[in-house]
Amino acid sequence: MESLSHILKSMPNSEWRRKAEVKIKAVMDDALVHKFREKYPFVDDYAVKINMNKLYQYVTEYKTCSNCPGLENCPNDMTGHYTMLTADTDNDRVYIHEEKVACKKFTSKQLQDAISSRIRTFHVDPRMISRSFSFGDILETDLDRAKAVMQINDYVNQTMETGLQTRGLYLCGSFGTGKTFLMGYMLHQLAKVGMTGAIVYMPDFAEDLKGMFQEPSKLKETIDLLKETDLLVFDDIGAENLNPWLRDHVIGAIVNHRMNRKPTFFTSNYALHDLEKHFSFTNKDGDEEYKGQRIMDRIRPFVEVVEVTGTNKRGRS
């Protein structure tokens, strides 16, 4: 095989040839190439010259990664990957091999995408789930709710150690104390170990369901998903505009299916006894105390109450 230097010499003197020679010299003199040749001392000048494209790519991408412009602006041949070189010999002939290696940012994004794909959100900002907070992060955000954070972290650890639990958590507390945020933390942590989840903002979801009457297959698919997902969070339950169908055939059917099987979680401004009052009255049928009791019999025994105290964080930058 003719060397690159011989090819260049055979070309007419031109600006292109001059620039190519400058690039070749820069690669030959680069410290990274020197280190590569120190690691593989059998790589001679001829092998370097006939593999100049690989070496140029190696040096260029190394410099790009050293001053990373961010994954979204990565100029490398393969986004989020850089070139690594190895060398060997066969019958006294030197071979230089290149391999594309994923960078840490690409690997991190892949992991985050995998986590996000396991969690469905219904009228909850997906960024609430995608943020990777540590236990220390959420503990320090508001020390007034430290007890609640400890309870949730204990639940996460227990689930990681022993598998999916049958009981969930009931987070109750004032407006803006971070109940949804804490459930997002829990979902994110457990999605890391492969569990699926869904979080449903009840006031808006209840309105959505009305529109699904004309799409029975979509309605069934949605309810089945909430029945079968590993972790289900009903966010801000008690704030929805309640009707008998929503209570008995959606919420009731879902919690009835999940009890003693998979955990259901709730966030609410109501304590449990107040939620029972909410479920006992609908605008259509008025007071139906026994129906409120019936649905609470499918919730109360299967949750641990977590009181979330602290300051109202809504509206903060």
Side-chain angles (χ1 to χ4, degrees):
M1 183 182 291
E2 193 174 5
S3 73
L4 187 57
S5 61
H6 289 160
I7 294 173
L8 287 171
K9 286 177 182 177
S10 69
M11 291 183 172
N13 191 12
S14 65
E15 183 66 14
W16 182 89
R17 175 180 167 181
R18 187 188 68 79
K19 289 181 178 179
E21 288 175 339
V22 169
K23 284 187 177 181
I24 289 171
K25 187 176 187 307
V27 171
M28 295 284 283
D29 293 341
D30 193 277
L32 198 63
V33 173
H34 284 294
K35 288 181 180 178
F36 174 74
R37 296 187 71 176
E38 288 173 5
K39 184 176 181 180
Y40 302 101
F42 52 82
V43 173
D44 54 20
D45 288 349
Y46 178 76
V48 168
K49 289 176 181 178
I50 66 172
N51 287 279
M52 188 57 65
N53 286 341
K54 294 177 182 178
L55 289 160
Y56 177 75
Q57 191 81 8
Y58 177 51
V59 169
T60 301
E61 293 187 349
Y62 178 84
K63 290 177 179 177
T64 297
C65 293
S66 297
N67 299 282
C68 179
L71 196 58
E72 65 280 1
N73 296 313
C74 178
N76 290 351
D77 277 0
M78 286 181 63
T79 299
H81 292 72
Y82 57 90
T83 298
M84 286 294 291
L85 298 182
T86 57
D88 60 22
T89 59
D90 185 18
N91 294 326
D92 295 326
R93 184 171 180 179
V94 178
Y95 293 90
I96 295 178
H97 309 285
E98 63 179 337
E99 179 186 1
K100 296 296 184 181
V101 180
C103 70
K104 289 181 180 179
K105 289 185 179 180
F106 182 85
T107 304
S108 177
K109 185 177 185 303
Q110 278 194 313
L111 175 61
Q112 185 55 57
D113 288 346
I115 291 170
S116 297
S117 71
R118 296 183 188 121
I119 303 170
R120 293 287 301 273
T121 60
F122 296 82
H123 300 285
V124 175
D125 187 345
R127 291 175 297 179
M128 182 74 68
I129 312 301
S130 64
R131 297 168 183 165
S132 183
F133 292 101
S134 69
F135 169 65
D137 291 334
I138 63 168
L139 186 63
E140 292 173 5
T141 302
D142 187 348
L143 293 176
D144 288 339
R145 66 179 183 198
K147 183 179 178 182
V149 172
M150 294 292 289
Q151 285 179 269
I152 291 165
N153 199 61
D154 287 346
Y155 186 92
V156 168
N157 290 336
Q158 182 180 3
T159 302
M160 287 182 171
E161 290 172 7
T162 63
L164 198 63
Q165 309 295 297
T166 55
R167 298 181 78 231
L169 302 173
Y170 186 90
L171 277 62
C172 58
S174 302
F175 294 96
T177 51
K179 298 182 292 294
T180 306
F181 168 74
L182 294 176
M183 285 291 92
Y185 163 76
M186 179 199 72
L187 288 173
H188 186 92
Q189 294 299 110
L190 294 178
K192 287 181 181 179
V193 294
M195 295 185 183
T196 61
I199 181 167
V200 179
Y201 179 62
M202 286 304 294
D204 289 347
F205 182 66
E207 296 304 311
D208 263 6
L209 290 174
K210 295 177 183 178
M212 292 185 195
F213 279 130
Q214 306 304 318
E215 301 177 86
S217 60
K218 183 178 180 181
L219 177 62
K220 182 179 185 304
E221 179 185 342
T222 302
I223 292 176
D224 285 347
L225 183 151
L226 300 183
K227 284 180 177 179
E228 299 300 339
T229 191
D230 292 335
L231 311 156
L232 172 61
V233 180
F234 283 122
D235 186 41
D236 208 5
I237 196 162
E240 69 280 350
N241 184 13
L242 193 66
N243 60 66
W245 175 78
L246 174 63
R247 178 191 60 202
D248 301 333
H249 299 287
V250 178
I251 301 173
I254 291 170
V255 295
N256 184 67
H257 180 84
R258 295 180 64 85
M259 65 180 186
N260 279 326
R261 286 181 171 182
K262 296 181 177 182
T264 307
F265 306 82
F266 305 84
T267 77
S268 184
N269 298 321
Y270 289 124
L272 278 172
H273 66 275
D274 292 321
L275 185 65
E276 182 171 336
K277 293 177 183 177
H278 168 74
F279 282 137
S280 296
F281 186 88
T282 66
N283 291 332
K284 181 177 179 181
D285 292 345
D287 193 5
E288 296 182 297
E289 184 177 348
Y290 75 98
K291 289 192 174 181
Q293 291 174 346
R294 185 170 65 182
I295 194 170
M296 290 306 296
D297 285 344
R298 288 158 174 75
I299 294 176
R300 189 181 284 110
F302 303 102
V303 292
E304 175 188 348
V305 175
V306 177
E307 294 185 10
V308 184
T309 56
T311 55
N312 189 332
K313 297 163 194 63
R314 290 180 184 166
R316 290 186 180 183
S317 58

